[in-house]
Structures are given as structure tokens and as C-alpha cells.
Amino acid sequence: MLYLKPANIEDIEKEHAFVAAEPADENGFLNNYHDVSFEDFKAITLPRMLDHALGKNMPEGYVPETFYFLWSDEGNPDDRTNHIIVGELRLRHHLNESLENGSGHVGQFIKKEYRGLGYCTQGLKLLIEEARKIVPENELYLHCNIDNPASLRVMIKNGGVIHHKDQNGYFVRIKLR
């Protein structure tokens, strides 16, 4: 079973291992914390993630954003030691002009060995439920690179409609209400 969980202190070791191993940029998903040390993750990165979810200590031009980890219980929901992080999804709580014309509300990344198994589709489905509680807009705005058809398929499987495209990517909308 897959489930979403916001970044938190209790899962710090597994969160750090996942984030530090993610590439810095893959298919448009930017990871500013690639190769971060555990000490820096604990002292700087995780507190920043938690603050951003609350809209605190935001850089100019940024909006609140919650970092969610997609967990798999590896078939044993009762044994938390076997639960693993298979992906990361980010939800920006509302749009500003650069997000409306750029990356939108959602960022999504699935670890390579878990791709093609439906994890991203399920993760986005779970994130849409979270978005319905947080996002004031009636639609989720999403974007994917033109050379990332797998991400586009995930969006469409979750009710996405291509709003428009340009030479770099697809701009997709998913109804929330």
C-alpha cells in the first residue's frame, strides 16, 4: 500500500537518505538538496521544508509548499521498519504569476527503481486529495517537460487535460472542484 506523509522529524533518517540520493535535476524536477549531509539536512534543510509548509521564512516570490514523501509499506502495514520512501511530491499551496506560467502547483519524483509500476499515478491521486484541502484555486496547474511522456500520462490518468503546450513542455489542468 502507498501513502503520503508530509516531511517530518520522526522520519528524518529515511527522508535524508532519499533526498540526498535524488539527482539535482531530472526531467524538470529540481532537487536543491542533492548530496546534502545528514547534519545539514537536520539543521537547515528539514527545518526549511517544515517552515515552507507553514509559509514561514519564504524567499521573495515563493509561495507556501509542502514536501510530501510517498511511502510503500512493502506489503506489511504493521511493521513500520519495513516502510520505504519511493517518491517525493511537492504541493505549492497557491499560484503566483511565475507558477501559473511555469511549474504550477505540483512537483513529482519517483525513485528510478520504482518507475513504471504505477507509483507516480497513485502518488498524484493521493496528492490531489491533499490539494482539495489546501489549494484555493478550482484547478491544479501542472507542467511536464515535452520529453517526459510518462509524467504526462500520469497527469492524464488522474483527470488531467492538456491546457496548452510550448516548445518546452505541456501545461495540464486537473479539476479540484
Side-chain angles (χ1 to χ4, degrees):
M1 182 175 89
L2 297 175
Y3 61 96
L4 276 183
K5 194 171 180 186
N8 65 80
I9 193 74
E10 72 188 30
D11 297 314
I12 192 169
E13 290 88 6
K14 289 182 179 182
E15 292 169 347
H16 167 259
F18 186 87
V19 169
E22 286 177 30
D25 179 0
E26 187 167 314
N27 292 322
F29 184 86
L30 302 178
N31 174 22
N32 296 327
Y33 311 118
H34 172 72
D35 277 342
V36 66
S37 69
F38 181 77
E39 294 75 23
D40 284 348
F41 186 81
K42 184 176 182 180
I44 300 167
T45 304
L46 184 57
R48 183 179 295 147
M49 289 175 167
L50 299 175
D51 277 356
H52 286 192
L54 299 172
K56 295 167 39 178
N57 301 316
M58 305 289 300
E60 183 70 32
Y62 279 57
V63 302
E65 173 180 47
T66 300
F67 290 74
Y68 291 93
F69 292 96
L70 182 62
W71 291 79
S72 172
D73 65 13
E74 293 284 293
N76 188 351
D78 298 326
D79 184 3
R80 300 248 336 130
T81 60
N82 287 334
H83 293 206
I84 58 169
I85 298 174
V86 298
E88 179 187 338
L89 292 96
R90 299 177 191 165
L91 178 64
R92 294 169 201 97
H93 298 193
H94 59 84
L95 297 174
N96 60 19
E97 188 177 338
S98 70
L99 291 173
E100 190 171 326
N101 299 305
S103 58
H105 290 101
V106 175
Q108 52 195 12
F109 175 84
I110 301 296
K111 200 171 182 180
K112 246 183 190 149
E113 58 264 35
Y114 299 104
R115 293 180 190 164
L117 302 173
Y119 287 9
C120 197
T121 300
Q122 184 63 29
L124 181 57
K125 180 180 179 181
L126 294 168
L127 190 72
I128 290 167
E129 291 308 311
E130 293 300 313
R132 286 190 169 109
K133 302 174 202 171
I134 297 169
V135 172
E137 290 90 2
N138 290 328
E139 297 179 309
L140 275 185
Y141 284 51
L142 300 96
H143 175 268
C144 67
N145 288 350
I146 203 100
D147 62 353
N148 190 356
S151 188
L152 180 61
R153 282 191 303 275
V154 164
M155 294 172 191
I156 290 171
K157 285 179 185 177
N158 276 285
V161 175
I162 298 171
H163 182 268
H164 66 282
K165 73 176 186 172
D166 64 18
Q167 70 276 7
N168 298 316
Y170 292 96
F171 296 81
V172 176
R173 305 293 183 259
I174 297 176
K175 294 274 185 210
L176 292 177
R177 295 162 193 69

